[in-house]
Amino acid sequence: MLLLMLDSPSQSDLAFLHGLIGEPGPDPDGVPERYLTEPRDRDHGRAATVLRPRNTGEVARIVAACAERGIGVIPWSGGTGLVGGQVSAEGPLKIVLSLERMTRIRSISPDDDAIVAEAGVVLSDLQAAAASVGRLFPLAMASQGSCCIGGNLATNAGGVQVLRYGNARDLCLGVEAVLADGSIHHGLRLLRKDNTGYDLRHLLIGSEGTLGIITAAVLKLFPCPAEVVTAMLAVPSPQAALHLLQAMRARLDGITAFELMAARGPEFLRGVYPDIADPLEGTPDWRVLVEVGGPLGSELQVRAEAALEAAFDAGLATDGVLASSEAQRARMWWMRETIPEANRKVGAISSHDVSVPLSRIAAFIEAGARAVAALDPHLRINCFGHIGDGNLHYNVFPPEGRSKHDYEAIAAAVKAAIHDCVAEEGGSVSAEHGIGRAKTADLMRYGDPAKLATMRAIKTALDPVGILNPGAVLDTGG
Ligand SMILES: Cc1cc2nc3c(=O)[nH]c(=O)nc-3n(C[C@H](O)[C@H](O)[C@H](O)COP(=O)(O)OP(=O)(O)OC[C@H]3O[C@@H](n4cnc5c(N)ncnc54)[C@H](O)[C@@H]3O)c2cc1C
């Protein structure tokens, strides 16, 4: 059998591909920057062109043509991925296949508690569409104004409400996807139960565009909470934060978010936005943002106040504020959600999206601090994240007044030190952002060998030419 090798597309290939979507050819000004950069400005990609199909048939025709010609395809939805899966700098030039024109909500069925959306629907638009029929689509994250449902599923995104509703995988009933030969998997079923063999949906979710291009999905909807209580609380330690979560769960069953922030987060925020109104007095070492939702008549406010009083009595919280208005709630969330932006302005030497078992969080945080100090005691750590899911963003910064560029020489050692601590505690080196191109080596280093061999076998079976997002997830050299 003659194996096709990937190659850069020729001018006639590009004219043909653009012709499939009724365009004369590539943009004469070249590929716009937004398809070649990623939010942290770490990777700068190259691409032969950008194709923006309008429907699944066009996606299928493009992929079939790329498979015949051995042209690599990078699926792109919102470009907010944090591990470089949507930008490629290595190997032959590829095409960027953007789903941004596929923005139709195909149907909403309140009776099924389900919505069918195309891959290019922006997450916040999907939330709004659900709200328009009195339902909640609970996937939520700071990038929700830009990221799209195709990218959310491709990365199995998490966010701030996983504690109650699960991650993107848990919210999806079915997908429509174009496979590597251009065939279409028609999996848009409204079924809650369907045990008919291998589940392609779960194979495609989290595969970061390496096994198929998700073109549409059926997503679960939920009742909108009629009452919401939000609080920011100072806690003595991360361990106390976890005990606080358990204590609150014993009294309140609808905790949707439980976010940890080290003092470094508000400190960085104040550096960027000196006028921020911090709801808490002083500068507590650790704080949590808690949100609880409940149905009409659940008297959440009263029950939440009682739960917090008990927490103060037990020493699990030392200070706290319950949001008394929507504006105050928004301010609390703004603090949490703006930390990534402040981090970017300060400039991290190395950023880590990790998870460990809940019981090992405190041990991991201490071990991480020791490991970083052993490399350089002046480095600063900003640790924050979805502590209720065991998911921390553990980012390391240069000392004040220094630049991350001064520390490039030790960036790899910082990352290895943190990831070794994660492995020691039985954790994962990618909790919610995925592998992309930034973490392929980490996957090889920490991944289970049998799992890696099975992943390679699946990739070869489903994409024998290797056109789908070459070099992402499994480092195939593309
Ligand atoms: C400020 C900020 C906050 C964030 N917070 C969170 C958070 O709380 N939780 C979290 O999980 N992530 C978070 N992220 C990361 C990011 O927003 C998510 O990973 C998001 O799901 C990516 O969606 P996207 O549409 O931007 O995908 P893209 O960046 O376009 O693509 C991401 C990956 O998916 C592939 N892909 C894209 N579309 C498709 C498709 N239709 N079919 C197949 N493959 C595809 C791409 O090739 C790439 O590998 C955050 C990012 C930023 C900038």
Side-chain angles (χ1 to χ4, degrees):
M1 188 175 74
L2 187 66
L3 271 186
L4 197 57
M5 299 287 289
L6 290 190
D7 203 356
S8 301
S10 64
Q11 287 308 313
S12 74
D13 288 331
L14 294 178
F16 180 80
L17 291 169
H18 278 277
L20 293 174
I21 54 172
E23 292 174 357
D27 183 341
D29 296 331
V31 177
E33 267 300 296
R34 70 193 192 101
Y35 302 103
L36 304 176
T37 52
E38 48 80 55
R40 288 173 176 154
D41 270 338
R42 293 210 173 130
D43 306 300
H44 194 268
R46 301 144 62 233
T49 194
V50 185
L51 288 147
R52 303 177 194 85
R54 290 174 193 80
N55 55 54
T56 305
E58 288 187 351
V59 177
R61 285 193 283 284
I62 292 168
V63 173
C66 288
E68 272 167 27
R69 292 165 170 76
I71 299 168
V73 179
I74 305 175
W76 193 97
S77 281
T80 68
L82 294 175
V83 286
Q86 71 279 26
V87 283
S88 162
E90 307 290 327
L93 286 177
K94 302 156 190 78
I95 62 144
V96 172
L97 193 153
S98 167
L99 283 302
E100 74 201 271
R101 284 183 176 158
M102 293 186 58
T103 56
R104 258 186 342 122
I105 302 284
R106 292 194 192 161
S107 62
I108 309 185
S109 171
D111 285 350
D112 290 301
D113 268 329
I115 185 167
V116 183
E118 292 187 341
V121 174
V122 172
L123 177 54
S124 55
D125 292 343
L126 194 84
Q127 294 164 345
S132 73
V133 294
R135 296 289 191 278
L136 171 77
F137 181 63
L139 193 66
M141 60 195 78
S143 54
Q144 64 195 25
S146 310
C147 64
C148 300
I149 203 63
N152 298 147
L153 291 169
T155 58
N156 185 25
V160 292
Q161 303 205 92
V162 174
L163 197 56
R164 179 159 182 198
Y165 298 102
N167 49 24
R169 183 186 299 287
D170 300 309
L171 298 172
C172 180
L173 292 174
V175 296
E176 175 190 86
V178 171
L179 304 179
D181 61 356
S183 60
I184 301 172
H185 165 53
H186 297 282
L188 295 181
R189 287 153 70 89
L190 297 166
L191 304 176
R192 305 266 158 172
K193 286 188 160 187
D194 179 14
N195 268 352
T196 50
Y198 304 151
D199 196 328
L200 291 193
R201 160 190 50 160
H202 284 312
L203 206 49
L204 291 164
I205 294 172
S207 69
E208 301 179 56
T210 60
L211 299 180
I213 299 181
I214 296 169
T215 48
V218 187
L219 300 153
K220 291 182 195 169
L221 301 180
F222 296 80
C224 291
E227 297 181 22
V228 174
V229 171
T230 310
M232 191 170 270
L233 305 166
V235 291
S237 65
Q239 189 65 35
L242 282 167
H243 289 158
L244 173 65
L245 174 60
Q246 284 153 2
M248 289 186 75
R249 272 183 153 164
R251 289 168 171 264
L252 301 161
D253 53 9
I255 298 179
T256 50
F258 198 84
E259 298 287 307
L260 180 76
M261 287 172 261
R264 192 77 74 194
E267 178 197 319
F268 282 178
L269 276 175
R270 272 190 294 277
V272 180
Y273 299 98
D275 298 332
I276 62 166
D278 189 336
L280 297 183
E281 309 243 309
T283 49
D285 286 346
W286 296 97
R287 67 178 73 197
V288 289
L289 176 59
V290 191
E291 192 153 278
V292 195
L296 212 57
S298 50
E299 298 195 341
L300 211 52
Q301 184 81 18
V302 179
R303 289 167 54 219
E305 278 170 16
L308 291 185
E309 230 174 83
F312 285 122
D313 289 347
L316 297 175
T318 53
D319 184 17
V321 178
L322 275 172
S324 57
S325 64
E326 183 50 38
Q328 203 177 13
R329 172 179 177 257
R331 271 204 300 279
M332 289 179 182
W333 273 108
W334 179 89
M335 280 189 77
R336 164 62 186 88
E337 305 229 294
T338 312
I339 288 177
E341 184 192 320
N343 283 346
R344 251 190 320 284
K345 296 219 161 111
V346 178
I349 298 168
S350 186
S351 307
H352 315 95
D353 158 46
V354 301
S355 64
V356 293
L358 296 180
S359 59
R360 305 307 303 159
I361 284 182
F364 163 72
I365 290 176
E366 282 165 22
R370 276 196 305 273
V372 171
L375 289 167
D376 182 333
H378 304 295
L379 296 178
R380 295 177 293 173
I381 296 166
N382 190 7
C383 172
F384 65 104
H386 322 296
I387 188 173
D389 310 321
N391 175 191
L392 297 173
H393 301 307
Y394 196 95
N395 300 347
V396 180
F397 296 82
E400 206 169 348
R402 304 288 299 275
S403 149
K404 64 177 178 181
H405 302 296
D406 302 337
Y407 289 81
E408 269 160 16
I410 64 161
V414 170
K415 183 168 96 163
I418 301 301
H419 283 175
D420 285 351
C421 293
V422 170
E424 188 72 21
E425 301 299 345
S428 167
V429 295
S430 180
E432 61 173 5
H433 294 160
I435 297 296
R437 291 180 173 76
K439 288 191 171 180
T440 51
D442 302 307
L443 179 63
M444 294 306 136
R445 177 162 177 194
Y446 299 101
D448 171 61
K451 178 184 171 181
L452 289 172
T454 310
M455 285 173 66
R456 281 196 203 94
I458 292 171
K459 172 70 176 171
T460 308
L462 295 192
D463 182 16
V465 184
I467 63 161
L468 291 178
N469 215 354
V473 184
L474 290 166
D475 188 359
T476 47

